[in-house]
Amino acid sequence: MRLRAFLIGTLTALAVTSCGGGGGNMAGGIGGTGVSYGPVTGFGSVIVNGVEYQTGSADFSVEGSPVGTGATGQNQLAVGMVVSVTHDDNGNAKSVSYKDDAEGPISNLNAAGNSFDVLGVSVTVDTMTVYDGISTDVNSDGIFDINDLADNDIVEVSGQITADNTVLATRVELKPTASCADGIEVKGTVSNVNTIADTFDIGTLTVNANGNMPAGLANGDYVEVQSATCPSGSTLTATSIEAKTEGPDTSNLDSADGDMEIKGTIADFVASPCTFTVNGQSVSASDGMCTGLADGNLVEVKGSLLSGVLIASEISNEDVNESGVTELKGIVTAVSPTAGSAFEGSITLGASGTFTTDVNTRFESDTPPFNLNTITITPATCVEIKTNSSNVVLSIEKKTSDCP
């Protein structure tokens, strides 16, 4: 993964040396706009990185194509999708854009190892990955997850880039057809460009450009490849190839430089001068802010864009200890939202106990909006929750069956 070229010394000197975490609105600059980039965790309007953005007049796009304004566009989104929200300093969204990482057939499925490949991209999943579109519980365990997938299933993957052509999935959606004819695509970093053979590689995938090789394509470039046929072995024949920008969509900022908030996994970490990438976005920070950080850490970074580089003013390490995650399922017997918030408060599952929700809790339902204010005691609401060792709820999923 290539860092954008920049003057390390100058940018590091500009980094503000503060550290911490917590929710709240990210200022969009004085009279300007900022961008927040991360997975959707809930809907009132849209919740990203612990902040609710009002989207009544926002323009929505999927894969670069407009899909509507306000509620019409928002209905095209789902929990777990990684999106870019361009917003003002009052939490009003100007635009929301979503682009997946890959859509195509699964290969090399390793359920025990929580991994599979999609068109040369290595995909890993964890306890926080959202699954959608799965209707058959293969092992009848009451949970839809990687164990219900199979090689050659067509899936759409959205997630956090952890290295070149490697993604930690925040969302995996099983498509209703096993055919590639409806169109498949992958975004990734190019290697082994061969203009004579008209081929290049994305991870383990060889792309036959089929006459669509972009002029000047070079190793390390980031592209989107589309096709209407499944790969033959490890070779995909392209119908189109476009150069893309890795990371957040900054096209709707009022100026090239603005405020940014991004959540994702660290890659390309260098301790001094401190630089790294998060979901393809280059970050520069003072060395003191980077103590204890390393590749693979889940972080939230806030700061300002300067010549395409995020100059960090705040870095929060948000790693989840997977060994401390507990899954529970039951009927909600009490719910208590904090005044002024539909997402912060507490929820009780009978004898299982009472658990705390906060701005980072993921709320998932097939019929959004879903939050503390929409959970009812009568009629009963069945949920599955994941909590950490401090009884803080990481996710709440509304269930329609399989409740004890």
Side-chain angles (χ1 to χ4, degrees):
M1 189 178 303
R2 300 187 307 162
L3 291 174
R4 297 179 178 88
F6 59 96
L7 298 176
I8 294 287
T10 302
L11 295 179
T12 303
L14 290 171
V16 181
T17 57
S18 62
C19 182
N25 281 338
M26 180 67 179
I30 300 175
T33 54
V35 62
S36 183
Y37 186 68
V40 174
T41 55
F43 293 98
S45 287
V46 169
I47 317 298
V48 176
N49 298 336
V51 178
E52 181 174 4
Y53 295 99
Q54 302 304 314
T55 57
S57 59
D59 295 321
F60 287 78
S61 66
V62 173
E63 299 298 332
S65 298
V67 293
T69 300
T72 300
Q74 184 171 299
N75 288 339
Q76 305 301 309
L77 301 184
V79 171
M81 289 181 172
V82 175
V83 299
S84 297
V85 181
T86 304
H87 57 86
D88 65 19
D89 48 9
N90 293 314
N92 299 305
K94 174 182 179 182
S95 66
V96 182
S97 62
Y98 166 68
K99 298 178 181 179
D100 63 20
D101 294 288
E103 181 176 349
I106 289 176
S107 61
N108 301 318
L109 178 70
N110 181 355
N114 291 319
S115 67
F116 56 86
D117 296 338
V118 178
L119 300 178
V121 172
S122 298
V123 180
T124 58
V125 300
D126 63 13
T127 58
M128 295 304 292
T129 302
V130 176
Y131 296 85
D132 195 11
I134 301 175
S135 58
T136 302
D137 186 3
V138 173
N139 59 357
S140 302
D141 61 354
I143 299 173
F144 291 130
D145 59 17
I146 191 172
N147 294 292
D148 301 302
L149 299 175
D151 280 341
N152 298 316
D153 282 347
I154 305 292
V155 294
E156 178 181 323
V157 175
S158 180
Q160 298 159 350
I161 299 169
T162 58
D164 280 352
N165 306 316
T166 304
V167 171
L168 172 60
T170 52
R171 179 179 175 84
V172 176
E173 181 180 353
L174 178 65
K175 294 299 184 177
T177 175
S179 169
C180 297
D182 291 336
I184 58 176
E185 63 181 12
V186 62
K187 300 178 183 71
T189 303
V190 170
S191 63
N192 299 321
V193 174
N194 187 331
T195 55
I196 303 300
D198 200 29
T199 62
F200 59 86
D201 292 346
I202 292 179
T204 58
L205 182 75
T206 296
V207 177
N208 173 6
N210 195 29
N212 297 294
M213 182 86 74
L217 185 70
N219 293 334
D221 287 349
Y222 191 77
V223 299
E224 177 184 82
V225 178
Q226 295 186 340
S227 180
T229 58
C230 288
S232 175
S234 61
T235 300
L236 180 71
T237 299
T239 55
S240 71
I241 303 170
E242 294 183 53
K244 293 291 183 178
T245 301
E246 194 175 12
D249 179 3
T250 59
S251 62
N252 288 307
L253 288 174
D254 290 343
S255 64
D257 300 329
D259 293 333
M260 178 177 284
E261 178 178 355
I262 185 169
K263 188 170 185 176
T265 303
I266 288 178
D268 304 314
F269 181 76
V270 177
S272 184
C274 180
T275 60
F276 53 90
T277 61
V278 176
N279 270 345
Q281 172 63 51
S282 298
V283 179
S284 176
S286 65
D287 291 355
M289 295 175 68
C290 296
T291 301
L293 297 181
D295 282 344
N297 286 164
L298 175 64
V299 293
E300 184 172 339
V301 183
K302 298 180 181 181
S304 299
L305 281 173
L306 179 63
S307 300
V309 178
L310 174 56
I311 310 303
S313 60
E314 186 176 319
I315 302 175
S316 303
N317 194 332
E318 301 193 352
D319 266 346
V320 174
N321 181 1
E322 298 233 348
S323 63
V325 174
T326 300
E327 297 184 20
L328 298 167
K329 188 183 293 183
I331 301 295
V332 178
T333 54
V335 60
S336 179
T338 299
S341 174
F343 300 92
E344 298 175 272
S346 65
I347 183 172
T348 302
L349 299 187
S352 295
T354 298
F355 307 91
T356 301
T357 64
D358 61 21
V359 291
N360 293 307
T361 299
R362 189 189 74 205
F363 286 79
E364 184 184 359
S365 170
D366 290 336
T367 55
F370 176 57
N371 50 53
L372 295 180
N373 287 339
T374 65
I375 293 176
T376 58
I377 308 303
T378 305
T381 302
C382 174
V383 298
E384 178 182 301
I385 68 172
K386 296 177 182 178
T387 69
N388 62 18
S389 56
S390 300
N391 276 355
V392 175
V393 180
L394 304 174
S395 68
I396 303 177
E397 180 180 359
K398 187 176 182 180
K399 309 293 286 188
T400 57
S401 61
D402 300 319
C403 245

